[in-house]
Amino acid sequence: MTFIEENIFIEQSAVGKIVNAFLQTSCLLTEASPKDISISTLKGGKSSSTLYKIDTGKISYVLRCPAPTTSNPNRWLQASLAKQAGVLGVGPKIHFVDSEEYAIIMEYVSGRTASPLDFENKSFLINFSLLLQKLHDSQLEFPLATCPFYRFQRFLIKCDQNKVYCDANFSDVKFIMDEIATILQLHPISLAPCHLDLNLSNIIFTNEKFLLVDWVNGGMSDPYFDLATFSIFAGLNESQTKDFLAYYLKHVPTQLEWARFVIIRPVRLFVIAASCFSASSTERTLNTENILEFSDFIHKNRDDLDVNQIGLAVFKKGLDLIQESFFRNSLNYLKNSANHP
């Protein structure tokens, strides 16, 4: 993550008020005066939140301010999730939460976003599986997450309102998403604390370990959503995926576990695609020709892409997944095993 220097007068800005409140509740005022505090904007990722780096001379922090359009309940949710993640050690430690804006000040992690190349290293893949185990096995109280299928439907409604017309494949996708949701209800598992947006821009790599950031969608949910999303955005091949699941599960996946994982893989992709398409404020028909290949997309700097390009790349990947024999065979297996336990 890189940052761009920007002089900000602490006493005169909304950001400064939050920083000053933080200083008042910490011991930093005894070590540095407000005029010695420097604040710079942080640039990176597609998050709608605004990030700032706070330097005190000895210690650095990150201030994360939710987007102005974020509702107060959602601001509270994001702050609560980030705080619990910090306590658990799967995310940066949270030092301060603003009581009005629910902006958070967290430790500054000197590192970079994860890359698909990182997970070609077996030890790193094992480390990440252990991180997810720690999160999913946690007994800390996490709020209930919004169901990904509900999010998908909500974005579709917005697409209709904005008159964004997708190609004919989207009708099939709507049907498939309903089918997946129905089958998962036939094979329920216990909910667990989840991140629910494990694309690699939300995974920080530092000192040969990983931390999770940007807890916008997290909460109690089906842990297979995390497993599936990570495997797709990390670009894991079939062999790596089975290794990853074996590390996480502590045993070779059963046929039921593997099938459940396979049918969940396209879910997050279709949610992201619907979200990106619904972001348009003008009536249009999406052009699904000359789409960026997903393998290129996950290695590319997303700052160079607009939401439409991202939406089309993940949409095509989702279509590819549901057209694989693995997917249809897994759907049929789960249907039959539910009917004949």
Side-chain angles (χ1 to χ4, degrees):
M1 187 176 288
T2 59
F3 68 93
I4 303 172
E5 291 294 336
E6 178 180 309
N7 293 324
I8 300 175
F9 292 102
I10 295 179
E11 295 81 7
Q12 298 179 5
S13 68
V15 170
K17 291 179 181 178
I18 296 172
V19 174
N20 277 329
F22 168 54
L23 294 175
Q24 294 291 338
T25 60
S26 70
C27 62
L28 292 176
L29 281 179
T30 63
E31 301 175 5
S33 63
K35 67 179 181 180
D36 295 324
I37 306 294
S38 65
I39 305 175
S40 52
T41 55
L42 280 167
K43 183 181 179 182
K46 285 285 182 181
S47 173
S48 58
S49 300
T50 307
L51 302 176
Y52 301 91
K53 184 183 180 190
I54 306 167
D55 285 306
T56 67
K58 293 182 179 180
I59 305 175
S60 296
Y61 303 91
V62 171
L63 166 61
R64 183 178 187 276
C65 298
T69 55
T70 306
S71 66
N72 279 339
N74 199 273
R75 287 169 183 255
W76 171 86
L77 178 66
Q78 293 181 33
S80 299
L81 292 168
K83 191 171 182 178
Q84 292 292 64
V87 170
L88 190 57
V90 299
K93 181 179 178 181
I94 305 302
H95 292 276
F96 178 78
V97 178
D98 180 72
S99 60
E100 295 182 1
E101 299 292 333
Y102 291 111
I104 59 175
I105 292 180
M106 69 189 91
E107 66 175 319
Y108 175 77
V109 179
S110 179
R112 59 172 174 79
T113 54
S115 159
L117 296 177
D118 293 327
F119 301 104
E120 293 179 5
N121 184 319
K122 183 175 288 190
S123 65
F124 292 166
L125 193 58
I126 292 173
N127 287 347
F128 192 78
S129 71
L130 295 176
L131 178 79
L132 287 187
Q133 280 180 15
K134 187 175 183 179
L135 171 63
H136 296 161
D137 292 343
S138 170
Q139 299 302 307
L140 293 178
E141 290 188 10
F142 279 70
L144 186 66
T146 300
C147 173
F149 299 104
Y150 173 77
R151 294 174 64 84
F152 177 74
Q153 293 296 333
R154 191 172 62 187
F155 289 133
L156 289 188
I157 292 172
K158 191 174 179 183
C159 282
D160 289 340
Q161 292 173 340
N162 293 343
K163 298 183 178 180
V164 177
Y165 303 105
C166 307
D167 68 3
N169 288 316
F170 222 86
S171 296
D172 294 335
V173 168
K174 294 176 187 178
F175 176 81
I176 288 293
M177 288 287 277
D178 288 340
E179 190 173 14
I180 295 171
T182 299
I183 290 176
L184 291 180
Q185 290 175 355
L186 299 176
H187 297 276
I189 64 172
S190 299
L191 301 185
C194 295
H195 184 279
L196 296 183
D197 192 13
L198 289 180
N199 69 78
L200 298 194
S201 64
N202 291 333
I203 303 173
I204 302 299
F205 181 69
T206 177
N207 298 324
E208 299 194 355
K209 69 176 185 177
F210 300 95
L211 290 173
L212 308 180
V213 297
D214 206 358
W215 292 79
V216 174
N217 300 320
M220 298 297 290
S221 188
D222 184 334
Y224 275 69
F225 288 130
D226 276 351
L227 301 176
T229 302
F230 165 72
S231 71
I232 294 297
F233 282 93
L236 303 186
N237 59 32
E238 184 181 346
S239 175
Q240 290 172 317
T241 298
K242 289 186 174 179
D243 283 344
F244 165 64
L245 289 178
Y247 300 145
Y248 172 86
L249 296 168
K250 300 179 182 177
H251 61 257
V252 175
T254 65
Q255 187 173 1
L256 178 63
E257 289 168 336
W258 175 250
R260 202 175 189 284
F261 170 82
V262 168
I263 71 164
I264 285 179
R265 285 192 300 175
V267 171
R268 179 61 185 159
L269 294 170
F270 290 140
V271 173
I272 294 173
S275 172
C276 290
F277 299 157
S278 71
S280 175
S281 58
T282 57
E283 181 176 340
R284 64 196 173 104
T285 300
L286 295 171
N287 181 5
T288 55
E289 298 180 358
N290 301 318
I291 302 172
L292 180 67
E293 288 296 325
F294 192 78
S295 58
D296 295 328
F297 166 71
I298 61 176
H299 287 89
K300 191 176 180 64
N301 184 349
R302 295 184 200 178
D303 289 342
D304 299 332
L305 302 174
D306 61 32
V307 292
N308 185 54
Q309 290 174 303
I310 294 174
L312 289 172
V314 298
F315 181 61
K316 181 178 183 299
K317 178 63 176 179
L319 290 178
D320 291 343
L321 289 175
I322 65 176
Q323 290 165 3
E324 290 179 350
S325 59
F326 269 160
F327 180 80
R328 181 51 57 182
N329 291 341
S330 295
L331 276 179
N332 291 334
Y333 171 77
L334 291 171
K335 285 180 182 177
N336 292 333
S337 59
N339 294 329
H340 303 90

